[in-house]
Amino acid sequence: MPPKKGGDQPKKAKPSAADKTFGMKNKKGSVAQKQIAAMQAQDKSNQKPDEKRKQAEKEQREREKAASEAAKREAAELFKPVQTQKVPFGVDPKTVLCQFYKQGHCEKGRKCKFSHDLQIGRRQEKKDLYQDTREQEKQEREKDTMDDWDEDKLRKVVLSKHGNPKTTTEKVCKFFIEAVENGKYGWFWTCPNGGDKCMYQHKLPPGFVLKTKEQRAAEKALMDKSPLKTLTLEDFLESERHKLTGELTPVTPETFAKWKKERLDKKAAEDEARKAKEATGRAMFESGNWKDSEDEDSDDDGEGVWNLEAMRNETEKLREAKEQERLAKANGGSLPENLSNGALDDDEVVEDDYQDIDGNKLGLGYPMARNLRASLPKDDKLFIYDTNHAATDNYTKEDKEESFGSVKGPQTSICSGPREVAELSGTIITVLPEPKHVKSVFDEILTSGLPQPSDPQMPPERMFIDCSTIDPITSQDVAASVRAGSCGHFVDAPMSGGVVGARAASLTFMVGAAAHIFERVEAILLRMGKKVWHLGDQGAGLSGKLANNYALAINNIGAAEAMNLGIKWGLEPKALANLINSSTGRSWPSQINSPVPGVVDSAPSSNNYEGGFGVSLMKKDLRLAMTAAKEAGARLELAEKADEVYDATTRQFPGKDFSVVYKYIKDVN
């Protein structure tokens, strides 16, 4: 057979990925793009090893080149001067080293107005170490007066004296200008406005021109011959009046008074608009006006006014009673009758009383009992028990005299003990100082079970509301005992507000109770307080109270340490307190109960730390919080140290407000 035609022709090259994808590059569909990517990947995998190596080397060179350029740009950006170089007015730029040249970036060369001599700032006359020239320099300076100075010399002297480097204003001191103009400025001139402590600048203002005595004398002579020397104010105004054109209002007393009134009215309207615009919550807080209306829920008739003097007197009586109890325990004797079962809460000084409201008995303090009775109708009954017989006698006397208000309250009866009150009651409220006291009282109440309420108006199940501040575990044990005896419901409701809050019926209660009985508890507690917080089931109220008081204990130490630190640095106490209270360091101890005397006039620290919340009570609450946290497995990193501080403070300052920890910290330092 004859050979095929074209057999000797060279073979055609295989089409590349660019050839295969020709015409497909403008297609935006996802399918087309996937096909293009697949072709490019296939073409790349079909390359020979030499081609792959050359392609990799090329890509490596491009990456190195890009990295080198990026490093150069970064170095240039890092070492170039931050801003354009400037010199003060009147200074020769050639005496200043070019910062661009110093960094190696000046591109102006000889055309640069700054010096390119690196030694320009180091050239100065060397001092002779073998001669004491101080006396000679002093004599030369005494002879070197301002009479022979030119403007450059004056500027050098001003700069050498440094003026007042601490000032922040741009205003120039008038005494400095007068001294320069009158030729009295010199090496030994001192500013009459405090010397170096003058708050204004001691430097020549821009554009200042120093004039010689001859120049000033010539200007004065020229002014003496000028007509302006004898021109009166009336003549000047009259001459300027003739220059005015158009229809204008003549200035008369009537037109001036009208213009002034309109101007003042306009200014007042602008001030009102500005105040309305700035009346934000933050502006009100920073102004301090909110302190006058801190209690938003207080009555308008003034019933909630705090009597600080009475509170201090009652606190002093409590302190004496506690001291008697401590001495009796130390000597092994029996406690006085009025202290054997008294009630001390961390916020209140109260008695262990029990009252009946429509058959509901409430254990409250003396001022709380008064407020409670004043809010009840006449047909209700109150049963009270207190180990302090003087308090119950006084309460009965006031009851007979109808001293609780214009409306006669319910009938009041005095019981012989907690058991009698519980038998006659449907709701019992207790306020006791420590866990052992709570256990003792409820052991007496629950000894042999309680009979069913005999009064048909009373609820079928009794309600026990314990307002003591104790640990949650003890409270839960007592609640279990109440449930085991089928005696009713047990609720923990610690309170906050102090003796003042008890008198003003503005206490805050933190309740731990089941949801279906909270409404009944809330209705009772709102007769003695303003706020009732439901924090959860039984025990949650105490947990919330102890968590709050733990934060208070730590914040109190932090505020005391911060104030002591600032005062040690030389800061004024009130200025430092204002700074903290308008910043993120603000807290109740720093703002309301300041530990530094004289910062807040109403704080116990300003009254020798008398009254307020006792440091021993704070120590008790802190230890209760530590016990509860240990049982719950919660970490308290600062508790141990805080307990040491409060323990030492209690021994050194017994009976004082807990803010006295500042005094302890200051004395230790």
Side-chain angles (χ1 to χ4, degrees), residues 146-147 149-151 154 179-183 204 207-220:
M146 191 178 172
D147 298 337
W149 292 356
D150 56 7
E151 189 170 346
L154 176 60
V180 173
E181 291 180 344
N182 298 331
L204 298 176
F208 178 83
V209 178
L210 179 63
K211 298 178 181 179
T212 62
K213 292 182 179 180
E214 292 76 9
Q215 289 175 332
R216 292 198 296 270
E219 290 180 357
K220 183 178 180 181

Side-chain angles (χ1 to χ4, degrees), residues 68-137:
S68 177
E69 292 177 354
K72 290 181 179 179
R73 288 194 300 270
E74 183 179 1
E77 185 69 22
L78 181 63
F79 293 107
K80 74 176 183 179
V82 178
Q83 59 184 0
T84 305
Q85 189 174 4
K86 297 181 181 180
V87 293
F89 178 80
V91 177
D92 185 7
K94 284 296 182 182
T95 62
V96 179
L97 177 62
C98 176
Q99 296 299 320
F100 290 89
Y101 177 78
K102 184 178 180 180
Q103 299 294 338
H105 301 297
C106 184
E107 300 175 354
K108 297 182 179 180
R110 295 183 179 180
K111 295 182 179 180
C112 181
K113 66 178 181 180
F114 296 99
S115 175
H116 286 185
D117 186 1
L118 296 177
Q119 301 296 328
I120 191 69
R122 303 177 182 176
R123 294 177 179 175
Q124 58 183 352
E125 183 181 358
K126 295 183 179 179
K127 290 188 176 181
D128 189 355
L129 301 180
Y130 297 94
Q131 293 183 5
D132 188 356
T133 60
R134 290 178 296 178
E135 190 66 28
Q136 181 180 356
E137 291 176 355

Side-chain angles (χ1 to χ4, degrees), residues 388-660:
N388 186 349
H389 300 299
T392 55
D393 293 342
N394 189 33
Y395 187 89
T396 305
K397 180 180 178 181
E398 289 182 348
D399 179 25
K400 294 180 180 179
E401 295 175 354
E402 300 182 5
S403 59
F404 292 101
S406 58
V407 180
K408 180 175 176 59
Q411 179 183 357
T412 304
S413 300
I414 306 300
C415 296
S416 60
R419 171 75 181 189
E420 181 183 358
V421 175
E423 290 177 351
L424 299 173
S425 307
T427 301
I428 301 96
I429 297 181
T430 54
V431 184
L432 297 159
E434 295 182 6
K436 61 182 180 180
H437 302 132
V438 176
K439 288 183 177 180
S440 174
V441 169
F442 276 89
D443 286 344
E444 180 181 349
I445 293 175
L446 304 174
T447 300
S448 58
L450 291 173
Q452 291 296 325
S454 58
D455 192 339
Q457 296 182 355
M458 295 169 58
E461 292 184 317
R462 287 181 173 85
M463 179 70 70
F464 294 90
I465 303 177
D466 183 30
C467 295
S468 311
T469 298
I470 59 177
D471 60 286
I473 299 299
T474 300
S475 180
Q476 292 170 4
D477 292 342
V478 175
S481 300
V482 172
R483 288 195 301 269
S486 300
C487 298
H489 302 285
F490 181 87
V491 173
D492 59 297
M495 49 190 171
S496 177
V499 177
V500 176
R503 290 172 178 165
S506 61
L507 294 171
T508 297
F509 293 90
M510 291 144 276
V511 178
H516 67 280
I517 63 173
F518 173 69
E519 186 175 353
R520 176 183 170 186
V521 176
E522 183 182 27
I524 298 171
L525 296 180
L526 284 177
R527 294 180 178 275
M528 304 160 288
K530 289 293 184 182
K531 296 179 181 178
V532 179
W533 297 98
H534 185 208
L535 299 180
D537 294 334
Q538 197 280 319
L542 284 169
S543 299
K545 176 66 182 294
L546 293 179
N548 176 77
N549 280 23
Y550 175 74
L552 176 63
I554 301 301
N555 286 338
N556 181 57
I557 295 177
E561 289 181 334
M563 293 297 295
N564 182 59
L565 177 64
I567 293 173
K568 291 288 186 181
W569 281 339
L571 299 179
E572 199 275 326
K574 283 192 175 181
L576 176 59
N578 292 335
L579 167 66
I580 293 175
N581 294 331
S582 62
S583 304
T584 54
R586 180 177 63 250
S587 63
W588 187 85
S590 70
Q591 191 168 17
I592 306 299
N593 202 63
S594 176
V596 181
V599 174
V600 178
D601 295 337
S602 60
S605 60
S606 299
N607 187 40
N608 195 26
Y609 298 96
E610 299 292 339
F613 184 32
V615 64
S616 60
L617 298 179
M618 174 53 76
K619 183 182 72 170
K620 182 205 78 170
D621 283 5
L622 178 60
R623 292 185 175 178
L624 287 175
M626 293 169 63
T627 302
K630 185 177 181 181
E631 294 170 347
R635 293 178 59 185
L636 298 179
E637 295 292 343
L638 304 179
E640 293 292 342
K641 186 60 180 178
D643 181 56
E644 294 178 8
V645 173
Y646 282 112
D647 185 58
T649 306
T650 303
R651 292 196 302 270
Q652 188 171 351
F653 304 101
K656 299 294 185 180
D657 178 74
F658 77 119
S659 61
V660 77

